[in-house]
Amino acid sequence: MPELRSDAPDAYDESSGAKFVELDHHREHGLRLARHLQERGGQVWLWVPIGCVPTTFAARYPEAMSPASDKIPCFTHPKYQEYVNAFLQELVETYPLDGMFLVRDDNGGVCTCDRCQEYVSTSRTKNAVWEQYLVIYDWLREHEFRGAIAVYPYHDWYYPALDPLLPSDLYVVGHGAGAAVLVRDYRYVGPMGDTWLDNLYANFRVPPSPRMRRLLGDRGSFWIGGAYVGCELPWEAIGYFGWEPTAAANTLRYDWACRELGVERALAFVQMNDVYEELWDLNALYMPPADWMKLDASQRAQVVQRGLDGARQLRSTLKAVTPQVASDQFQRWLGHMELFAPFFEYHLQRLDRFAKVHDAVLSHRAALDTDEGLPPDVRAAVLRDYQAIYDAAEPYAAAMKLAPDGMLSHCRWMTAPYKEWMAGYDQWLDGQLALKQFAGRMDLATDTLQPGHPFTLRITLKNLGICPWVAAAGHRLELLGDAARLGLPAAWDYSGDPLAPGDRRTVELSGTVPAAPGTAHVAVKFLTPYRVPEPFLQAEIELMWE
């Protein structure tokens, strides 16, 4: 759809994350990569998020967006259907794909307008997301796509009642696919047990029951997410539990360590795994931010204590393994593992401090609208806890620099510096909070303007959210409209003292009035410091001078 293309530097395709101005580069790179892999016997499967559109789509077709959000398309609107058709056609005509993963990823939503609800009520599955998967499946097969098609039910778990409603050759893999093992053809099922924290760190998980171990024991499986020492343990596990269906996870670990590390080192390796496994379980049960906010203060304190104790034990057991490993084969892996304890400690403390800030602000919610703002002692505590979040990141940042070269080079942007946008803390979390993380008011004013003379645009900001606004986090004012003609800056990055919830501040920006009489329109947006910055405050002002 050429009308969606844009030369704007910040316009991008939500489905791929690629900026429009870089599409040619990404297309050529993707084609070269696909050829390289396929010439060597590999397969190329594409990750295809649904329920999202380019950033230009909402501006061009606002009527095709969900009434609830300008980021979620209305999946029954003709224009969105046209976009999906054009998108899929470009994929199958351009790229030599062996398969596609369909996923409603973190950036995908579901429209609940009357038309969409009526469509779902008469559909095959009575499920808005699975219907969208099936529409895409049908389109691909009707257009003679012969590759594999998989659903990765990340937010929308598979349930057995779906089975007779789905094509027999539709793969169900990844998060949310576990129940498919019970009813579907096992050749088309691949569960996975990791979580967002495990995306960055090595982990080893095995199916939790003897039956599932047998089912998954003699073939490749998504169930085992990540691995120690590259992918060695998962490859060991593929056949191990087929022959030893009653073996425990530690049996495999011990046998592997006896062979690879030596008998005298195997027990220390197993003990290290036990501690690591407990920390992983704490993460899975409590540490996604939305789950953390559901705990009361005493529950949080218990998890914090367990987590900090576990991190200390992990350091101790890892230290017991490290001196016994002489081979360079394992040094990079051990260096990676040494990074886990400081990461875990930082993130656990970050959760705890964020919750304290949230509870303190929420308990004085009425004070936010007063001229005085939060009581002085509460304000000081909020700023102190918030600053502690940043201070606690420093030991992790220092430890990260010691990781073996290349281990985290491709995800370093995700891990340092830790700012407000980190996974789980951006827009996703707002739905779990009584107050949004970033909210407020913004007013614009100037003195009387005189042709040819300097003037000052005063932007008054009031913080009405949970989080203080701090320098270098990514808060940014953007000035649009006639700002450039008036000599105003295009942007202002937040600097100076923190603005606590309830605080007010006026930012003064200088410009120059044109010599000829006239009028101007200036729009100002205040952007969040999320991964994808978005305006949370907007204001406009009409100016005139004679």
Side-chain angles (χ1 to χ4, degrees):
M1 299 177 69
E3 67 270 26
L4 299 182
R5 299 298 174 95
S6 172
D7 294 329
D10 58 346
Y12 69 98
D13 168 29
E14 188 80 50
S15 298
S16 64
K19 293 183 177 181
F20 282 112
V21 294
E22 300 172 351
L23 279 182
D24 291 341
H25 164 76
H26 289 301
R27 180 183 294 107
E28 177 58 29
H29 180 261
L31 289 170
R32 286 190 286 113
L33 181 60
R35 285 194 295 268
H36 178 86
L37 293 170
Q38 290 170 335
E39 287 170 359
R40 289 157 178 77
Q43 289 191 0
V44 177
W45 287 43
L46 182 67
W47 183 269
V48 185
I50 70 166
C52 57
V53 288
T55 55
T56 53
F57 186 91
R60 182 67 176 81
Y61 300 112
E63 71 279 7
M65 303 303 292
S66 168
S69 171
D70 62 0
K71 292 185 175 296
I72 300 173
C74 173
F75 65 87
T76 58
H77 194 280
K79 273 298 173 186
Y80 175 67
Q81 294 171 352
E82 180 184 341
Y83 162 74
V84 172
N85 291 343
F87 180 74
L88 294 174
Q89 185 170 347
E90 182 172 347
L91 290 182
V92 298
E93 291 180 354
T94 305
Y95 301 97
L97 299 173
D98 298 295
M100 293 194 194
F101 286 101
L102 310 180
V103 57
R104 183 169 76 94
D105 204 348
D106 304 322
N107 54 352
V110 178
C111 180
T112 57
C113 73
D114 292 343
R115 181 177 59 241
C116 287
Q117 292 190 61
E118 181 179 357
Y119 175 87
V120 172
S121 68
T122 59
S123 66
R124 291 165 285 187
T125 64
K126 306 296 188 295
N127 184 299
V129 177
W130 283 92
E131 282 303 312
Q132 293 183 70
Y133 293 144
L134 292 178
V135 166
I136 294 175
Y137 173 92
D138 292 341
W139 190 98
L140 290 171
R141 290 298 185 235
E142 289 170 3
H143 290 75
E144 300 184 349
F145 178 73
R146 301 303 179 206
I149 304 175
V151 169
Y152 193 112
Y154 189 69
H155 287 301
D156 312 282
W157 285 29
Y158 173 91
Y159 48 93
L162 284 169
D163 195 61
L165 307 174
L166 304 180
S168 60
D169 66 340
L170 182 65
Y171 287 83
V172 181
V173 299
H175 292 286
V181 172
L182 303 177
V183 292
R184 285 186 70 73
D185 186 324
Y186 302 144
R187 293 173 300 171
Y188 292 94
V189 181
M192 184 168 75
D194 69 348
T195 70
W196 56 273
L197 180 61
D198 191 46
N199 292 338
L200 297 180
Y201 287 94
N203 184 45
F204 173 54
R205 302 285 286 178
V206 295
S209 71
R211 180 187 180 198
M212 293 188 74
R213 288 175 189 153
R214 289 194 295 271
L215 293 176
L216 303 177
D218 61 353
R219 62 183 184 82
S221 170
F222 285 86
W223 187 273
I224 303 168
Y228 288 125
V229 194
C231 293
E232 189 155 353
L233 276 178
W235 282 111
E236 293 280 334
I238 286 172
Y240 190 92
F241 293 109
W243 293 102
E244 300 287 346
T246 60
N250 277 344
T251 311
L252 170 61
R253 290 168 176 149
Y254 186 83
D255 288 350
W256 178 87
C258 285
R259 186 179 71 250
E260 298 293 337
L261 305 178
V263 175
E264 70 281 6
R265 309 163 187 168
L267 185 57
F269 176 74
V270 172
Q271 291 171 335
M272 185 189 73
N273 276 267
D274 283 342
V275 177
Y276 184 88
E277 192 83 350
E278 182 176 357
L279 293 177
W280 196 95
D281 285 341
L282 285 179
N283 163 69
L285 289 172
Y286 307 114
M287 289 176 61
D291 293 326
W292 184 266
M293 298 307 295
K294 296 174 184 176
L295 302 178
D296 61 34
S298 63
Q299 292 171 321
R300 293 170 189 160
Q302 292 176 22
V303 177
V304 168
Q305 190 61 54
R306 288 175 60 191
L308 296 181
D309 288 346
R312 284 191 290 270
Q313 293 173 28
L314 181 63
R315 282 191 175 94
S316 176
T317 55
L318 183 59
K319 194 173 182 179
V321 172
T322 302
Q324 302 174 37
V325 177
S327 171
D328 292 339
Q329 175 185 358
F330 301 111
Q331 292 306 313
R332 294 181 73 249
W333 160 63
L334 289 168
H336 193 199
M337 282 300 299
E338 287 171 355
L339 196 58
F340 185 80
F343 170 85
F344 192 91
E345 288 169 333
Y346 167 71
H347 199 70
L348 186 60
Q349 291 170 339
R350 173 186 173 85
L351 285 164
D352 189 42
R353 288 168 175 141
F354 176 83
K356 290 177 180 176
V357 169
H358 169 271
D359 292 350
V361 174
L362 192 61
S363 64
H364 294 83
R365 182 174 186 172
L368 297 185
D369 279 317
T370 67
D371 292 336
E372 293 78 15
L374 294 174
D377 59 332
V378 176
R379 181 182 182 277
V382 165
L383 291 177
R384 185 170 57 250
D385 283 332
Y386 206 69
Q387 182 59 43
I389 291 174
Y390 283 78
D391 293 342
E394 296 308 315
Y396 175 71
M400 194 174 186
K401 293 178 181 178
L402 301 177
D405 182 57
M407 287 293 285
L408 294 172
S409 59
H410 292 294
C411 63
R412 193 155 290 185
W413 66 274
M414 297 178 65
T415 58
Y418 281 111
K419 302 301 182 186
E420 282 81 350
W421 55 259
M422 184 184 167
Y425 284 93
D426 49 18
Q427 296 93 325
W428 309 336
L429 186 56
D430 280 340
Q432 309 296 323
L433 305 176
L435 282 177
K436 289 186 176 182
Q437 296 168 85
F438 301 106
R441 287 199 302 266
M442 178 166 62
D443 299 307
L444 309 180
T446 67
D447 295 326
T448 301
L449 304 182
Q450 299 182 25
H453 285 71
F455 77 101
T456 299
L457 174 65
R458 290 185 294 278
I459 305 172
T460 301
L461 301 169
K462 171 85 171 183
N463 185 352
L464 297 175
I466 292 294
C467 297
W469 303 344
V470 297
H475 295 282
R476 181 182 178 87
L477 286 171
E478 291 189 351
L479 284 75
L480 308 170
D482 297 317
R485 184 161 65 92
L486 295 170
L488 291 167
W492 179 80
D493 293 320
Y494 189 92
S495 60
D497 294 335
L499 202 69
D503 285 2
R504 187 189 305 274
R505 174 183 178 181
T506 298
V507 176
E508 296 186 346
L509 302 178
S510 299
T512 302
V513 181
T519 62
H521 171 83
V522 176
V524 181
K525 296 181 178 180
F526 196 27
L527 275 60
T528 62
Y530 293 143
R531 276 181 295 180
V532 180
E534 63 178 27
F536 70 103
L537 296 179
Q538 301 184 64
E540 301 179 0
I541 187 171
E542 300 291 339
L543 304 177
M544 181 176 67
W545 58 96
E546 298 178 349

